Amino acid sequence: MLPTRPPTAALAHSYRAGGHWQDRPIGHYLTRAAREYPDAVAVVQGDRRATFADIDRDATRLAAALHARGVTSADVVSFQLPNCVEAVVVFQAVMKLGAVANPIVPIYRSRELRFILGQSQAKVVFVPDELRGVDVDAMYRDLAADLPNLELVVSVGELDDLLSQVTDEMVTELRSLTSPSADDVCLLLYTSGTTADPKGALHSHNTLVFENMSMIDWFGLNETDVIFNPSPVTHVTGVNCALVLPFLLGTTVVLQQTWDPATALRHIVDERCSFMIFSTPFLRGLLDAAESAQEQTPSIRYIVCGGADVPDTLTAAATIRLGTVVRMYGATEGPSVTTADRWDSPAVRQNSDGRPIAPTEVIVSDAAGGVGEILWRGPDTFLGYLDPALNADAFTPDGFFRTGDLGSFDADGAIHVVGRIKDIINRSGEKISAHDVENHLGAHPAVIEVAVVAGPDSVTGERGCAFVVTRDHQDITLDEVHRFLLDRDIAVQKIPESIFVVDSLPKTASGKVQKFALRNWTRDRAAVPAQMAAMTFAASHEK
């Protein structure tokens, strides 16, 4: 039994009384879709098309194969798979078995995998045949030698052989098992590392189903919508949009394995995709591709953008070119906390992170000047971390999750996330929001991406250090940045005192910038950290 910190009995009762927890396990929805729409296309992956009946058949057989090998509802089944039909089958098989799915992002290698597979005591792991040039067999053989609980490693290429061994008797035995409780943990998902240490977040069937039902209700989704999902299916966005939401709706999800904006645009146009959730780099790339090709995207009803800072100018331009863009605020611990809809004013849709999605409660704690730490609790809030020692600092006594994010509410009741507590620059005792500076500097025509962090300064204590990715690798000087920001009427104290032009920013799988790597580099500069190994400094300017 995995350790959890479930909501209080009163909160759980209110979630059930309000119809927010429907007490049905996730596997119920695949079974229903396969019964009602057996021949409807559930998953598109390139030229491959899998129906709901296909997914249900293969997931049932895989669940039976795992059960025959001793996998029970108490076990963790990991998978480090790309966006593919097999990933959908594996996840749904784990849901049918009532075990715990543990998706692992493709960027992780031996060090992170050893930690995750060891801490979770995973019994089975599904792996790709190829992982970006890595010898997958060799890597997992080495890992298995140090992981006594890991009994089975299955590659995508071996999956058909495993399914072919399933007998009717094995399927009958699987179906005789008691259905999992909707309160059982079904997902163990590790935060993808904006801090140095990943943390395993636990979700139940009830929290995941509500999360997706809330999106259906908020955005008015139905079976005619087509979901486009380029986000990794091993990240919380991909888990929801590719592995859960299509089966609640009875609609199609279009997967993209490797991000390429032109290919994404083609998928959206050809498959008439109408709904998608992804982070800022995906939105920027798609917008650039549409403008370059002069392509229209009339099928798009909503693009929901979150997971990383979203410049106001980007949401405005993308809405004009692509379709309605709204921002969303959430995390692995609670994926959809605030957002907007097409009926909201442009200010709410484009310049804020949206309104709380009822019945989720969002508060700003210890606000000074209106800004404080954002806390939330709701039916999709996770049940705590796998390491229970982390929970005391993560929750308030009455069940609010401490996000570590800073924000404030405006007069419309919309939240404005202004950065992490750690992202505040303390310059001579004056607190400066890195988010505010990023939003202004991101409007510079030469700047594609920007991240601002606090760096050490012998006089002021801390200084603003801006890392920027520019179009066509242009140089951009500190004087130029200074003039640009002054023209935007930004306070001179907020203007960065160091600027570094880089080829790329270190990021998590979901597109969040790993600011700890940038902060570490500004502090010691002795060597480029591992998270920045792919970063090349094209130019630097400092006072």
Side-chain angles (χ1 to χ4, degrees):
M1 180 71 68
L2 298 178
T4 61
R5 190 189 187 284
T8 64
L11 279 174
H13 175 75
S14 71
Y15 297 156
R16 287 189 168 88
H20 311 303
W21 281 1
Q22 300 188 6
D23 287 326
R24 291 192 182 100
I26 289 171
H28 161 83
Y29 297 95
L30 170 57
T31 301
R32 183 184 68 176
R35 181 181 65 246
E36 299 293 332
Y37 315 110
D39 299 324
V41 175
V43 184
V44 173
Q45 178 206 337
D47 294 331
R48 297 177 67 186
R49 276 167 164 70
T51 66
F52 287 104
D54 294 334
I55 300 295
D56 188 55
R57 179 197 65 234
D58 289 349
T60 299
R61 292 167 65 201
L62 180 56
L66 293 174
H67 175 64
R69 283 162 175 75
V71 179
T72 71
S73 59
D75 291 319
V76 172
V77 177
S78 301
F79 59 93
Q80 192 182 24
L81 297 174
N83 290 6
C84 59
V85 173
E86 289 79 8
V88 181
V89 169
V90 168
F91 177 81
Q92 289 292 342
V94 177
M95 296 302 102
K96 283 179 175 288
L97 191 55
V100 180
N102 170 222
I104 303 174
V105 293
I107 62 173
Y108 283 167
R109 296 295 180 265
S110 294
R111 184 182 66 82
E112 296 94 347
L113 291 169
R114 185 172 284 105
F115 172 78
I116 290 171
L117 296 172
Q119 187 186 64
S120 68
Q121 299 182 23
K123 196 168 189 174
V124 181
V125 61
F126 291 86
V127 302
D129 295 320
E130 190 276 330
L131 188 63
R132 302 179 185 181
V134 173
D135 187 336
V136 179
D137 287 342
M139 181 172 70
Y140 274 92
R141 271 199 309 272
D142 290 344
L143 288 167
D146 299 330
L147 300 168
N149 293 292
L150 186 59
E151 297 179 3
L152 183 64
V153 179
V154 183
S155 70
V156 168
E158 298 169 328
L159 194 54
D160 284 343
D161 184 54
L162 183 63
L163 294 179
S164 69
Q165 300 171 29
V166 176
T167 65
D168 291 343
E169 290 75 19
M170 292 163 65
V171 172
T172 299
E173 185 174 347
L174 171 74
R175 288 175 172 158
S176 71
L177 299 177
T178 303
S179 295
S181 164
D183 285 331
D184 288 348
V185 173
C186 68
L187 179 70
L188 167 61
L189 194 58
Y190 280 80
T191 59
S192 50
T194 55
T195 58
D197 300 317
K199 295 178 287 188
L202 301 168
H203 276 279
S204 70
H205 296 268
N206 267 329
T207 62
L208 273 190
V209 168
F210 171 77
E211 157 65 24
N212 286 272
M213 286 296 189
S214 70
M215 287 193 289
I216 291 171
D217 293 342
W218 185 278
F219 296 112
L221 304 178
N222 59 51
E223 71 277 8
T224 67
D225 282 294
V226 177
I227 303 162
F228 174 59
N229 183 72
S231 299
V233 296
T234 47
H235 175 264
V236 69
T237 300
V239 168
N240 285 320
C241 288
L243 307 184
V244 180
L245 182 59
F247 303 94
L248 269 64
L249 273 176
T251 195
T252 304
V253 61
V254 178
L255 302 177
Q256 182 167 342
Q257 275 201 11
T258 303
W259 177 244
D260 174 75
T263 303
L265 181 63
R266 195 75 269 134
H267 284 323
I268 290 168
V269 172
D270 290 349
E271 303 293 343
R272 298 191 56 77
C273 298
S274 59
F275 181 78
M276 55 212 74
I277 303 178
F278 45 54
S279 60
T280 307
F282 293 103
L283 179 61
R284 190 180 295 278
L286 184 61
L287 175 60
D288 288 347
E291 289 181 337
S292 176
Q294 289 296 295
E295 184 74 72
Q296 301 299 313
T297 54
S299 64
I300 293 178
R301 292 206 302 118
Y302 277 107
I303 298 175
V304 185
C305 193
D309 290 335
V310 189
D312 300 347
T313 52
L314 177 60
T315 53
T319 293
I320 294 170
R321 181 80 218 182
L322 301 170
T324 300
V325 178
V326 297
R327 283 154 55 163
M328 176 175 280
Y329 170 58
T332 301
E333 294 85 349
S336 303
V337 176
T338 67
T339 191
D341 63 37
R342 65 196 318 162
W343 310 114
D344 281 314
S345 68
V348 172
R349 283 188 283 110
Q350 299 169 13
N351 308 120
S352 82
D353 293 285
R355 298 174 282 114
I357 302 174
T360 296
E361 303 166 80
V362 183
I363 60 176
V364 173
S365 175
D366 303 322
V371 174
E373 183 181 12
I374 301 170
L375 289 77
W376 76 64
R377 67 180 183 187
D380 60 347
T381 300
F382 78 129
L383 305 182
Y385 294 111
L386 181 59
D387 180 356
L390 299 172
N391 290 330
D393 290 336
F395 291 93
T396 65
D398 52 354
F400 280 87
F401 173 59
R402 298 184 182 277
T403 67
D405 293 322
L406 291 171
S408 64
F409 283 104
D410 63 21
D412 294 316
I415 196 81
H416 293 257
V417 182
V418 299
R420 300 283 294 169
I421 291 175
K422 292 181 179 179
D423 285 346
I424 293 297
I425 301 164
N426 189 347
R427 187 181 186 279
S428 297
E430 186 169 3
K431 307 299 192 296
I432 297 168
S433 166
H435 175 84
D436 187 36
V437 181
E438 288 166 347
N439 204 31
H440 283 284
L441 188 50
H444 191 287
V447 172
I448 298 176
E449 293 182 276
V450 58
V452 176
V453 300
D457 189 284
S458 60
V459 177
T460 62
E462 290 183 346
R463 62 164 58 193
C465 297
F467 294 79
V468 297
V469 179
T470 60
R471 297 184 188 278
D472 302 320
H473 305 287
Q474 300 175 49
D475 188 15
I476 182 171
T477 67
L478 193 61
D479 286 341
E480 185 178 353
V481 167
H482 196 279
R483 291 194 302 272
F484 178 78
L485 294 178
L486 283 180
D487 286 344
R488 293 179 67 85
D489 295 325
I490 188 172
V492 68
Q493 294 89 342
K494 294 183 178 181
I495 296 175
E497 294 163 291
S498 301
I499 183 165
F500 305 96
V501 181
V502 298
D503 287 345
S504 62
L505 296 171
K507 295 175 183 173
T508 68
S510 63
K512 292 183 180 179
V513 176
Q514 293 177 312
K515 286 195 170 182
F516 72 89
L518 301 178
R519 283 191 292 266
N520 289 347
W521 188 86
T522 64
R523 186 184 62 242
D524 45 64
R525 305 201 189 184
V528 177
Q531 297 89 344
M532 296 168 62
M535 182 180 291
T536 302
F537 288 82
S540 65
H541 306 281
E542 298 189 88
K543 275 189 180 179

